[in-house]
């Protein structure tokens, strides 16, 4: 089977290389925004949507224009990839997977991509990117497979390079044969049906005071002054630390779950709908807005969607499966008698069946019901386990322990 994997490293460019990388980020952003503005103008005038090939013709004209001749200083692949990103964003919008593309701004998602002609010298910890030449990188791990596209990005003042590789590997067989249900939450990050509990990292909550202090300091500075830029860099460092802590936690948790269970059943949650604002409108204001905002912040701090994504691809690499099950009533169904009622859950953490009197932690009950739903869907043939990267049912999964 073909395994596509990315490796991310910290770059160590010299001054000239850093200036050219900043110029590349700016040129990519300019081309993306100019092409997006062109698409919006044509739409407003009732014109036809331009394809990627059509936009490339406009790119040639922009590079020939004396006013934007500076675009020639950047590698052509960087500019072409910006147009591909816009085309992909519009395709996602037309197919209902994303919102309408928005203009990019400086300082957010500064990056550019090279799809080919990249060389990697692992023994010496060097990488050669077109027009940038050889650059040192922090070789924290070995890169396996043939090097494909490379993405260079700027985050919190540090340059990173992400190297995508492809390699053929033997079809894996998962070392385990067990199925587990997982209920995610805020008080407990994850509760497994085998009794395991994963406590949350709460990366944002722990750094919230430090972040608020840094943001207040930045707000007191004159915008775009030298001191403002220093304060902004401090805010970015705090935000980057929060992201690193959350990412490290999610990778460790997902790796542990994936290695120990062949089939992982999760609730098919719509996190975006769950974290929608309750503010309402001026005419019809919402209720419990402050409480809902706090709950939304706590949910988003956990990273449920990223956890599911990581479990999915790690299960695929190990030969296991990720099986989503419907979310309704997983925490309201009694695992002893099967009675379903909202009254079975008198509080967030307590489950007490009004029919048979069975009592337990609500998260433990939900995880057991999720596991049973996974077993039932397999046994009844309603669906097969699906990999995180696939939408259609695939071949039958591994044998399960009785």
């Amino acid at each position: 089977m073909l395994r596509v994997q990315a490796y991310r490293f910290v770059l160590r460019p010299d001054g000239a290389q850093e200036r050219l990388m900043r110029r590349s980020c700016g040129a990519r952003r300019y081309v993306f925004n100019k092409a997006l503005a062109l698409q919006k103008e044509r739409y407003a005038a009732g014109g036809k949507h331009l394809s990627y090939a059509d936009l490339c013709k406009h790119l040639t004209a922009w590079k020939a224009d004396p006013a934007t001749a500076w675009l020639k200083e950047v590698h052509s692949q960087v500019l072409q990839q910006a147009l591909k990103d816009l085309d992909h964003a519009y395709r996602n919008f037309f197919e209902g997977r994303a919102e309408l593309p928005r203009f990019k701004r400086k300082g957010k998602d500064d990056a550019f991509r090279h799809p080919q002609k990249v060389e990697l010298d692992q023994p010496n910890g060097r990488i050669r990117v077109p027009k940038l030449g050889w650059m040192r990188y922090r070789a924290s791990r070995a890169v396996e497979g043939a090097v494909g596209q490379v993405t260079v990005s700027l985050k919190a003042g540090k340059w990173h390079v992400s190297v995508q590789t492809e390699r053929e590997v033997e079809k894996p067989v998962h070392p385990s044969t067990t199925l587990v249900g997982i209920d995610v939450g805020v008080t407990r990050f994850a509760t497994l049906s085998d009794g395991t509990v994963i406590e949350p990292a709460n990366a944002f909550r722990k750094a919230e005071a430090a972040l608020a202090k840094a943001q207040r300091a930045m707000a007191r500075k004159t915008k775009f002054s030298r001191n403002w830029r220093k304060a902004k860099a401090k805010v970015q460092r705090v935000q980057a630390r929060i992201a690193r802590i959350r990412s490290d936690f999610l990778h460790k948790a997902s790796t542990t779950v994936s290695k120990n269970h062949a089939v992982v059943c999760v609730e098919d949650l719509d996190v975006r709908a769950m974290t929608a604002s309750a503010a309402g409108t001026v005419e019809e204001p919402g209720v419990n807005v402050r409480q809902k905002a706090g709950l939304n912040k706590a949910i988003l701090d956990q990273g449920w969607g990223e956890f599911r994504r990581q479990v999915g691809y790690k299960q695929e690499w190990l030969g296991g499966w990720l099986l989503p099950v419907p979310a309704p009533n997983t925490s309201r169904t009694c695992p002893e008698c099967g009675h379903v009622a909202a009254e079975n859950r008198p509080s967030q953490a307590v489950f007490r069946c009004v029919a048979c009197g069975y009592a337990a932690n609500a998260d433990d009950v939900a995880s057991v019901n999720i596991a049973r739903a996974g077993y039932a869907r397999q046994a009844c043939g309603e669906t097969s386990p699906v990999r995180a990267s696939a939408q259609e049912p695939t071949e039958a999964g591994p044998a399960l322990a009785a």
Side-chain angles (χ1 to χ4, degrees):
M1 60 176 286
L2 180 67
R3 176 180 292 185
V4 179
Q5 186 172 358
Y7 300 83
R8 189 163 175 262
F9 305 104
V10 176
L11 274 176
R12 293 170 177 169
D14 58 30
Q17 290 170 330
E18 184 170 357
R19 286 192 293 273
L20 185 54
M21 288 192 294
R22 289 185 181 275
R23 196 174 300 131
S24 298
C25 290
R28 171 185 174 270
R29 182 174 60 252
Y30 177 84
V31 169
F32 184 96
N33 289 343
K34 193 171 180 65
L36 179 56
L38 178 62
Q39 296 280 34
K40 287 180 177 290
E41 290 174 5
R42 290 179 62 86
Y43 176 78
K48 185 180 178 182
H49 178 79
L50 294 175
S51 66
Y52 166 71
D54 295 328
L55 289 175
C56 284
K57 296 176 183 178
H58 285 274
L59 176 59
T60 303
W62 297 337
K63 294 170 72 174
D65 187 348
T68 53
W70 52 271
L71 291 174
K72 296 178 182 178
E73 300 175 11
V74 177
H75 199 282
S76 60
Q77 290 182 356
V78 171
L79 308 181
Q80 291 165 2
Q81 292 298 306
L83 298 181
K84 284 192 174 182
D85 289 343
L86 179 60
D87 185 66
H88 183 66
Y90 262 111
R91 189 160 57 249
N92 285 339
F93 168 70
F94 291 140
E95 296 176 4
R97 293 192 297 267
E99 297 179 353
L100 190 68
R102 292 181 291 184
F103 292 104
K104 295 186 179 296
R105 61 177 181 173
K106 186 177 181 180
K108 184 177 181 181
D109 298 328
D110 285 338
F112 59 92
R113 186 169 65 249
H114 281 278
Q116 56 186 1
K117 297 182 179 179
V118 177
E119 296 181 41
L120 190 65
D121 179 13
Q122 292 195 67
N124 295 309
R126 301 187 307 164
I127 185 170
R128 193 188 73 80
V129 181
K131 278 208 172 184
L132 294 175
W134 288 101
M135 288 183 289
R136 295 284 182 182
Y137 70 91
R138 185 183 177 189
S140 54
R141 61 184 302 190
V143 176
E144 300 180 60
V147 176
Q149 70 179 19
V150 164
T151 302
V152 179
S153 59
L154 176 63
K155 294 185 183 297
K158 289 187 178 182
W159 289 96
H160 299 81
V161 60
S162 180
V163 182
Q164 182 176 296
T165 65
E166 293 183 355
R167 69 180 188 273
E168 287 290 338
V169 297
E170 294 184 4
K171 190 173 182 179
V173 177
H174 203 285
S176 175
T177 58
T178 60
L179 179 147
V180 71
I182 300 180
D183 176 67
V184 292
V186 174
T187 305
R188 295 177 173 184
F189 171 74
T191 303
L192 280 62
S193 57
D194 63 0
T196 304
V197 175
I198 302 176
E199 298 297 335
N202 294 326
F204 177 79
R205 189 176 70 185
K206 292 178 180 177
E208 189 173 7
L211 179 61
K213 182 179 179 180
Q215 289 173 330
R216 286 194 298 269
M218 186 179 75
R220 289 193 293 267
K221 306 292 189 295
T222 302
K223 200 169 186 179
F224 301 120
S225 67
R226 181 173 295 181
N227 285 336
W228 179 85
R229 295 181 190 279
K230 291 180 181 178
K232 182 182 178 181
K234 186 172 183 180
V235 171
Q236 291 177 332
R237 286 196 296 271
V238 176
Q239 292 173 330
R241 183 170 181 271
I242 293 171
R244 288 196 302 269
I245 292 172
R246 183 183 294 120
S247 177
D248 178 72
F249 167 76
L250 293 175
H251 273 292
K252 289 178 178 177
S254 60
T255 297
T256 300
V257 170
S258 299
K259 285 185 175 179
N260 293 332
H261 304 284
V263 178
V264 178
C265 304
V266 296
E267 288 181 294
D268 198 7
L269 298 173
D270 186 353
V271 179
R272 176 174 293 185
M274 292 174 63
T275 55
S277 173
T281 62
V282 176
E283 296 78 13
E284 297 182 6
V287 295
N288 297 326
V289 177
R290 189 177 185 86
Q291 295 90 325
K292 184 63 166 64
L295 176 61
N296 290 351
K297 183 165 61 175
I299 291 174
L300 294 173
D301 190 19
Q302 306 308 315
W304 294 343
E306 178 63 10
F307 176 71
R308 172 174 167 172
R309 186 191 72 84
Q310 291 182 10
V311 170
Y313 81 74
K314 290 175 183 180
Q315 284 289 87
E316 186 173 355
W317 286 358
L318 291 169
W321 302 86
L322 176 70
L323 178 58
V325 300
N329 295 324
T330 53
S331 61
R332 297 178 176 182
T333 303
C334 178
E336 289 292 320
C337 68
H339 180 69
V340 182
E343 293 76 18
N344 285 352
R345 195 170 180 180
S347 68
Q348 186 66 26
V350 176
F351 179 93
R352 187 178 298 108
C353 182
V354 295
C356 69
Y358 175 80
N361 184 281
D363 295 336
D364 292 330
V365 169
S367 65
V368 171
N369 287 331
I370 291 169
R372 290 180 177 178
Y375 272 122
R377 299 195 74 184
Q378 277 193 288
C380 296
E382 295 180 14
T383 184
S384 299
V386 294
R387 301 192 188 278
S389 59
Q391 297 296 326
E392 297 298 326
T394 55
E395 63 189 45
L400 303 177

